[in-house]
């Protein structure tokens, strides 16, 4: 699929890691309501090629460092071995983002695409620090967690049917407990419904992360325990953390009016999930007509 470049204003800000400017691409005007709910403290935009390092740093800090409670105070200094491991993890995370976001890094757009993910990011308007991210893509409805270098959905059309999938919803330490994750989740749902014209959103939840599990439960995500074996087989163990107990979830999204700009592939091309694989708790999902 060839994506049309999006002409949009940049949101300049300094990068907290390397001092280079972060220039998130603003969402189109038709999605102004997604951005306005964070104003005036934060700005919501799309990650471009110059923002990958800051996004990778945030994700490593959120998911690949030893667990601590919000009240545990500053983290203990890392040993030289731990620092080297963290830097390697940041490098791999950045390369994975570049792989999955692909051509969207050069021409960021919220449009549905079969060749790349999109990464939303939130920056602090005053300091320019990247404080939150959320990644959306199309993935097979098979209950497996996508790999760092996941196969693009374009090559998976023959699989269990493709559906919108959310991952890497992360909020930087120090900015949590401000309902940022909840509002960013809502923004993702509205974008999937209005821009992508899709009626469902899938994700995995680590049941050991009680705060995350409570958030998704309160937002109406239905657990799909029939996929627990697939989720466990595709999970990885992270240093300093207990092995995640990931469970596949789905939420049926309310209908939205057609997006003002065409360009998404017909929903019928994405396939439909095999009813037998959804488990007893979930009804077969149906993609809306394009």
């Amino acid at each position: 699929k060839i994506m049309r470049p999006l002409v949009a204003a940049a949101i300049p800000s300094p990068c907290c890691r390397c001092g280079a400017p972060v220039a998130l691409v603003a969402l189109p005007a038709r999605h102004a309501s997604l951005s306005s709910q964070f104003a005036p403290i934060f700005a919501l935009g799309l990650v471009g090629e110059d923002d990958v390092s800051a996004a990778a740093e945030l994700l490593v800090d959120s998911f690949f460092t030893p667990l601590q409670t919000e009240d545990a105070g500053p983290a203990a200094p890392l040993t030289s071995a731990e620092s080297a491991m963290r830097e390697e993890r940041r490098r791999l995370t950045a390369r994975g983002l570049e792989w999955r976001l692909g051509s969207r890094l050069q021409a960021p757009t919220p449009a549905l695409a079969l060749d790349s993910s999109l990464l939303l990011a939130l920056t602090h308007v005053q300091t320019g620090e990247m404080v939150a991210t959320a990644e959306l893509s199309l993935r097979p409805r098979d209950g497996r967690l996508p790999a760092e270098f996941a196969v693009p959905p374009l090559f998976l059309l023959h699989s269990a049917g493709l559906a919108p999938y959310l991952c890497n919803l992360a909020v930087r330490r120090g900015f949590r407990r401000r309902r940022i994750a909840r509002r960013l989740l809502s923004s993702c749902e509205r974008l999937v419904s209005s821009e992508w014209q899709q009626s469902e959103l899938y994700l995995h939840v680590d049941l050991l992360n009680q705060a995350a599990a409570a958030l998704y439960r309160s937002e109406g995500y239905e657990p799909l325990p029939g996929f627990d074996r697939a989720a466990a087989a595709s999970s990885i163990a992270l240093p300093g953390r207990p092995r995640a107990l990931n469970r596949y979830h789905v939420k049926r999204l309310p209908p939205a009016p057609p997006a003002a700009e065409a360009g998404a592939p017909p929903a019928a091309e994405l396939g439909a999930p095999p009813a037998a694989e959804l488990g007893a708790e979930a009804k077969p999902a149906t993609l809306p007509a394009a």
Side-chain angles (χ1 to χ4, degrees), residues 145-161:
L145 279 83
E148 192 77 74
F149 297 91
V151 176
L154 178 64
F155 302 102
L156 299 171
L157 292 174
H158 64 284
S159 62

